Amino acid sequence: MPTLFEPTTAGDLQLANRVVMAPLTRNRSPRAVPLPITATYYAQRASAGLLITEATAISHQGQGYADVPGLYSDEQIAGWKRVTEAVHKAGGKIVVQMWHVGRISHTTLQPNGGAPVAPSAIRAKAKTYIIDADGKGGMVDTSEPRALGLEELPGIVEDYRKAARAAIEAGFDGVEVHAANGYLLDQFLRSGSNTRTDAYGGSIENRARLLVEVMDAITAEIGARRVGIRISPVTPANDASDDQPQPLFTYVVQKLAKYDLSYVHIIEGATGGPRNHQQGTTPFDYAALKAAYRAAGGKGAWMTNNGYDRELADQKVESGEADLVAFGRPFIANPDLVRRLRENAPLNEGDRNTYYGGGEHGYTDYPTLP
């Protein structure tokens, strides 16, 4: 019977345990460049079997929040090299989450102040984080997007490919494709944000086309066994919606099964909210989703996420329902979360006022167990 704290593998990744640090946006990368304190932050948490970085933009157009990192300039790659070197020195493994936000952006964050891009020109009922001319940060409504033209889509795929290569150059052990939480790839998947009538809209097959093209490009570039993907079948995050998520995501995982992926990362329920949240008329069947992936030949590790504690994580791993379990916010305040979980030790409480933006306080100064 597998246990949470024993070593395992995920594709080409050899992991010391089955505890994963989930992506956590921290807004501490001015000019989209990771700072030296970012290396300290991730190295402090390197006892996790796997670290997944905060979402990282594949292009300037892919940026949607102030002071989040990128992976499209030499300076950004150099910043990430400091991070990967620090994590590896501490004995950890780290992958970068590759991100294009699509419509979840603001004109002040876009190249030349342009409109954010989306599958369709439908404004999201969502907010994003910007910094004004006085240097003050705050949440604002997302801007009206424009629909991507067919001729632009190959360029989006190419941006993903180039970012995957940049990730390897920066020393990452692999990449995670962010296809969740109402961002660009998820926007194409869902009927609530995709009303296109061309080859990228309408049927489930068409709506999944861009995701498949992105996965083809990335896996061809760096090898599938160091590529993971994150999906969130029923989350309402960033105005994401679809009234038939079960057939949609069953099709998605069946397509993913053709790649020999490192892992598939599933957000169960509403991101950061109720695990039993549903869209459509029936509860989502996650066991059936995993079964469909395995039946189609999928070999990647199955990673689950959302509201886990030690008891639930143990249950999922020991039963075989999950191969890996991702923890999010507990890692903010507990750099030594793996030890605290193993010893059933009390957890530090996070300071929400320092979650987004700032310096070392609330970032690298949380205490560890003696």
Side-chain angles (χ1 to χ4, degrees):
M1 180 183 298
T3 66
L4 187 61
F5 303 106
E6 71 179 19
T8 190
T9 60
D12 282 345
L13 306 182
Q14 304 291 321
L15 309 182
N17 55 66
R18 296 168 186 262
V19 178
V20 177
M21 177 176 159
L24 294 159
T25 296
R26 304 304 306 275
N27 302 93
R28 284 171 165 84
S29 296
R31 305 182 318 283
V33 177
L35 298 175
I37 59 169
T38 306
T40 302
Y41 169 76
Y42 282 107
Q44 287 175 340
R45 291 153 178 81
S47 60
L50 180 65
L51 303 175
I52 308 173
T53 72
E54 60 214 274
T56 301
I58 62 169
S59 65
H60 188 174
Q61 183 194 72
Q63 293 277 6
Y65 301 81
D67 289 357
V68 296
L71 196 58
Y72 52 90
S73 77
D74 290 343
E75 189 179 8
Q76 293 161 1
I77 293 170
W80 279 123
K81 276 185 178 178
R82 287 193 297 264
V83 174
T84 60
E85 288 170 358
V87 169
H88 291 151
K89 185 176 180 180
K93 295 290 175 66
I94 184 167
V95 300
V96 62
Q97 188 185 66
M98 298 167 56
W99 195 26
H100 191 308
V101 300
R103 65 180 184 165
I104 308 301
S105 188
H106 192 270
T107 55
T108 60
L109 301 168
Q110 289 291 302
N112 302 314
V117 299
S120 304
I122 303 171
R123 189 171 188 166
K125 299 180 180 67
K127 292 185 179 294
T128 188
Y129 178 84
I130 68 170
I131 296 175
D132 63 23
D134 297 325
K136 184 178 180 181
M139 303 299 291
V140 298
D141 291 338
T142 56
S143 298
E144 187 81 25
R146 65 172 181 85
L148 282 160
L150 274 175
E151 74 284 355
E152 296 179 275
L153 297 182
I156 299 286
V157 175
E158 177 65 5
D159 285 340
Y160 275 100
R161 185 198 66 77
K162 290 192 295 186
R165 175 50 54 193
I168 301 307
E169 292 174 5
F172 284 104
D173 298 294
V175 304
E176 177 177 284
V177 178
H178 196 348
N181 292 352
Y183 296 115
L184 184 67
L185 296 176
D186 201 27
Q187 290 161 27
F188 269 87
L189 289 175
R190 295 175 186 268
S191 59
S193 48
N194 184 347
T195 58
R196 298 175 75 99
T197 57
D198 58 19
Y200 293 83
S203 68
I204 287 175
E205 179 182 3
N206 282 357
R207 285 183 274 137
R209 191 179 306 277
L210 182 63
L211 174 60
V212 171
E213 290 176 351
V214 165
M215 295 301 290
D216 283 345
I218 292 172
T219 55
E221 182 67 26
I222 67 170
R225 290 178 60 82
R226 44 184 177 176
V227 177
I229 186 170
R230 191 187 211 198
I231 57 176
S232 53
V234 299
T235 189
N238 292 312
D239 202 19
S241 68
D242 194 280
D243 59 2
Q244 294 188 320
Q246 195 81 47
L248 169 61
F249 283 94
T250 296
Y251 178 84
V252 167
V253 298
Q254 288 170 338
K255 297 300 288 185
L256 294 175
K258 76 174 185 176
Y259 312 103
D260 189 10
L261 294 177
S262 176
Y263 64 83
V264 179
H265 180 179
I266 311 293
I267 298 175
E268 299 169 329
T271 306
R275 289 175 47 79
N276 62 353
H277 181 82
Q278 73 180 60
Q279 291 187 347
T281 57
T282 57
F284 195 87
D285 190 336
Y286 295 98
L289 188 72
K290 182 185 177 188
Y293 175 66
R294 296 290 186 225
K299 300 176 183 177
W302 197 257
M303 183 189 303
T304 57
N305 184 345
N306 199 21
Y308 275 78
D309 56 16
R310 164 72 191 271
E311 182 180 4
L312 182 58
D314 279 340
Q315 174 191 322
K316 292 281 189 173
V317 169
E318 291 172 7
S319 69
E321 294 176 67
D323 302 307
L324 304 168
V325 178
F327 295 80
R329 289 177 182 169
F331 261 114
I332 291 178
N334 299 275
D336 56 347
L337 181 64
V338 175
R339 179 183 173 192
R340 289 174 187 267
L341 291 173
R342 182 186 287 116
E343 298 179 7
N344 288 309
L347 301 184
N348 298 322
E349 287 292 326
D351 177 4
R352 291 177 177 270
N353 294 323
T354 61
Y355 279 3
Y356 305 111
E360 295 182 13
H361 177 55
Y363 190 56
T364 57
D365 60 352
Y366 283 105
T368 57
L369 293 173

